[in-house]
């Protein structure tokens, strides 16, 4: 677990003002949210991006991959490109 004393000390010294986190898949899948919940409970600002945990009450920045892909394809087509390959990592 996160050491409260270290976090509180860092906050006091103004070396830490919050966290910006992309959650690991393990944290999302096995519901190991305690470290993040502890930060939230301590009142430390937490922003999650890209890989977020929906159950946590914090600010989140997410991307609509479908819409982004659609816009990229439209841009390529408008530029005259007609031979387009879409590759995906599984």
């Amino acid at each position: 677990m996160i050491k409260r004393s270290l976090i509180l000390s860092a906050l006091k010294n103004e070396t830490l003002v919050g966290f910006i986190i992309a959650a690991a898949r393990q944290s999302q899948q096995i519901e190991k949210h305690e470290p993040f919940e502890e930060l939230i409970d301590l009142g430390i600002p937490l922003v999650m991006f890209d890989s977020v945990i929906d159950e946590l009450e914090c600010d989140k920045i997410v991307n609509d991959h479908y819409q982004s892909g659609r816009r990229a394809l439209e841009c390529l087509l408008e530029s005259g490109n007609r031979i387009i390959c879409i590759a995906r990592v599984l």
Side-chain angles (χ1 to χ4, degrees):
M1 288 296 153
I2 298 171
K3 299 281 186 190
R4 287 178 193 238
S5 59
L6 291 175
I7 292 172
L8 293 174
S9 174
L11 286 169
K12 253 190 230 177
N13 296 329
E14 296 181 8
T15 56
L16 173 69
V17 294
F19 287 92
I20 300 173
I21 298 171
R25 282 191 182 155
Q26 295 89 343
S27 296
Q28 295 171 330
Q29 293 171 348
I30 58 176
E31 299 183 10
K32 290 208 171 195
H33 309 148
E34 294 89 8
F36 306 119
E37 290 168 346
E38 188 172 351
L39 291 173
I40 293 167
D41 291 344
L42 288 170
I44 298 171
L46 174 65
V47 177
M48 302 190 96
F49 70 96
D50 195 31
S51 302
V52 300
I53 300 171
D54 292 327
E55 295 82 15
L56 292 177
E57 291 292 326
C58 65
D59 293 319
K60 299 174 180 94
I61 302 169
V62 295
N63 184 27
D64 182 341
H65 297 292
Y66 176 80
Q67 186 64 25
S68 296
R70 184 180 185 92
R71 285 183 181 164
L73 178 59
E74 288 172 356
C75 182
L76 289 170
L77 292 171
E78 288 172 7
S79 298
N81 295 290
R82 295 292 178 255
I83 301 173
I84 300 168
C85 174
I86 298 174
R88 180 178 171 192
V89 177
L90 299 177

